[in-house]
Amino acid sequence: MTIAPVQSSSPLVASGWTDARLILALEEVVEKELNRHLGVAKEWMPHEFVPWSQGRDFDGVLGGEAWSLEHSKVTPVGRVSLVVNLLTEDNLPSYHHEIATMFGREGAWGTWVHRWTAEEGRHGIAIRDYLLATRAVDPVELERARMSHMSEGFESDNAHSMLHSVAYVAFQELATRIAHRNTGRYAGDPLCEQLLAKIANDENLHMVFYRNLLKAALEIAPDQAMRAVADVVTDFRMPGHGIPGFERAAAQIALGGVYNLRIHHDDVLQPVLRHLKVMEIGGLGPEGLLAQNELGVFLDGLDGQARKFEERQAALLARREARRNAG
């Protein structure tokens, strides 16, 4: 199906496409990507990755044992990252509301919205069950953080534009995949790593869906899509940025090698941009060319920031190692 851009003098459609027309124009792409996704996604059971036999009653109504730090088998950075990952997943009701409002609940778009939500739902279930069964984190602090975070809700930085929303999730799903995968690697528990690898695989499939959708958008509305990509990349924030204590947790996660500027630049932004050949797209109008140039300048600057971070990280880790050896 081919839909020509609407001709209008209205500033809302000055570039040729409205959100409504883009959603309609991309319907067949969504259906194709949905069918591809359903064909490759593999069923897995969250309960199979939870060591239920390790679980025991906590203090409170059942009069069990209060949580203590020595109960946790995961590493300190693993514990911090697991909590951030889980609290991010916990805001799923708000995420569903955002995308259902943006993309609608009908047709292929609606089917994808609900399928995505169902798959994301098991991530939070599985991580929380693992954390509680293994006593990896303080359950009281975890619940209080959940209540605080979810009570604030979530409002996307990109809710003003369908193209910005698609561009954002194309990068964010890959960022989430990397965060889960690296959390598992640094958690110090092989079972935790297995669980998070399963979750990361789901996130990767979600990324492919949105990346392919963004590719189609770049083909039919290149100037608007290029502007969306540039805006999203330059102002990118993880969806869990509103978590209580997020900045401190993010610093620990970055230093621990789970997710930092170097990973963001090399393993998230560059793979998506290279796949879409964003910097090679020609035939752009003034708006698209300006956005493409802004993107290139930003990426160069981010690479420099990542190098400086790596230098600070290496120096800090060296000082910590020296103190341990001296002690």
Side-chain angles (χ1 to χ4, degrees):
M1 174 174 60
T2 301
I3 298 180
V6 63
Q7 301 299 319
S8 172
S9 59
S10 168
L12 293 176
V13 293
S15 298
W17 291 97
T18 64
D19 279 357
R21 291 180 66 83
L22 279 166
I23 288 172
L24 181 60
L26 290 168
E27 176 85 22
E28 288 184 2
V29 180
V30 172
E31 183 175 6
K32 175 185 174 183
E33 291 303 315
L34 172 64
N35 290 333
R36 181 201 55 76
H37 177 85
L38 296 175
V40 298
K42 292 181 172 58
E43 180 182 64
W44 63 278
M45 299 298 163
H47 70 274
E48 294 180 358
F49 295 87
V50 178
W52 302 103
S53 60
Q54 295 181 27
R56 58 187 188 276
D57 294 343
F58 287 100
D59 59 329
V61 176
L62 298 178
E65 184 180 5
W67 183 85
S68 180
L69 182 60
E70 59 265 22
H71 295 167
S72 180
K73 296 179 181 179
V74 299
T75 62
V77 69
R79 190 159 52 249
V80 170
S81 192
L82 280 161
V83 170
V84 169
N85 290 359
L86 175 56
L87 294 179
T88 300
E89 299 285 357
D90 276 336
N91 248 341
L92 181 61
S94 287
Y95 306 149
H96 174 84
H97 173 76
E98 288 269 347
I99 66 172
T101 301
M102 174 64 70
F103 301 142
R105 293 186 172 89
E106 304 299 326
W109 282 102
T111 301
W112 167 253
V113 165
H114 296 308
R115 172 71 187 205
W116 175 88
T117 302
E119 292 183 358
E120 289 288 343
R122 66 183 170 203
H123 300 168
I125 291 169
I127 296 174
R128 176 170 281 101
D129 286 348
Y130 168 84
L131 294 181
L132 296 181
T134 63
R135 289 182 169 245
V137 302
D138 184 340
V140 175
E141 289 190 8
L142 180 65
E143 176 60 11
R144 287 172 177 166
R146 186 190 71 84
M147 287 294 295
S148 175
H149 184 44
M150 291 192 68
S151 294
E152 292 296 320
F154 173 81
E155 184 174 352
S156 171
D157 296 330
N158 304 289
H160 63 287
S161 160
M162 176 268 189
L163 283 177
H164 283 71
S165 296
V166 171
Y168 176 74
V169 288
F171 294 102
Q172 177 264 317
E173 292 285 3
L174 182 53
T176 304
R177 176 221 169 195
I178 296 293
H180 282 307
R181 197 71 182 91
N182 285 344
T183 297
R185 287 171 176 160
Y186 289 106
D189 179 3
L191 182 59
C192 181
E193 184 172 8
Q194 277 187 279
L195 168 61
L196 292 183
K198 281 290 185 183
I199 292 174
N201 187 62
D202 280 357
E203 303 289 7
N204 194 63
L205 292 178
H206 298 164
M207 179 277 293
V208 172
F209 178 94
Y210 288 120
R211 185 192 64 191
N212 292 350
L213 191 57
L214 180 57
K215 180 180 180 181
L218 282 163
E219 291 172 355
I220 67 172
D223 289 311
Q224 283 178 276
M226 185 66 73
R227 168 47 60 195
V229 170
D231 288 347
V232 164
V233 169
T234 55
D235 294 323
F236 185 87
R237 295 195 295 177
M238 290 293 274
H241 61 80
I243 290 170
F246 178 78
E247 290 186 4
R248 183 172 184 273
Q252 293 174 276
I253 289 168
L255 185 62
V258 173
Y259 198 93
N260 53 45
L261 282 178
R262 174 53 64 202
I263 292 170
H264 183 63
H265 178 276
D266 291 0
D267 300 335
V268 177
L269 298 183
Q270 290 292 356
V272 174
L273 294 172
R274 281 197 303 267
H275 181 87
L276 297 176
K277 300 181 179 179
V278 168
M279 302 309 296
E280 302 169 26
I281 294 176
L284 296 169
E287 179 187 7
L289 287 171
L290 177 62
Q292 192 178 51
N293 182 64
E294 289 175 5
L295 183 60
V297 171
F298 174 81
L299 291 171
D300 288 342
L302 185 63
D303 187 49
Q305 293 177 46
R307 283 196 300 272
K308 291 179 180 178
F309 166 79
E310 289 176 310
E311 292 169 1
R312 294 194 300 268
Q313 179 188 37
L316 179 57
L317 293 177
R319 288 197 297 270
R320 288 185 178 180
E321 183 65 24
R323 285 198 296 268
R324 279 196 294 268
N325 292 336

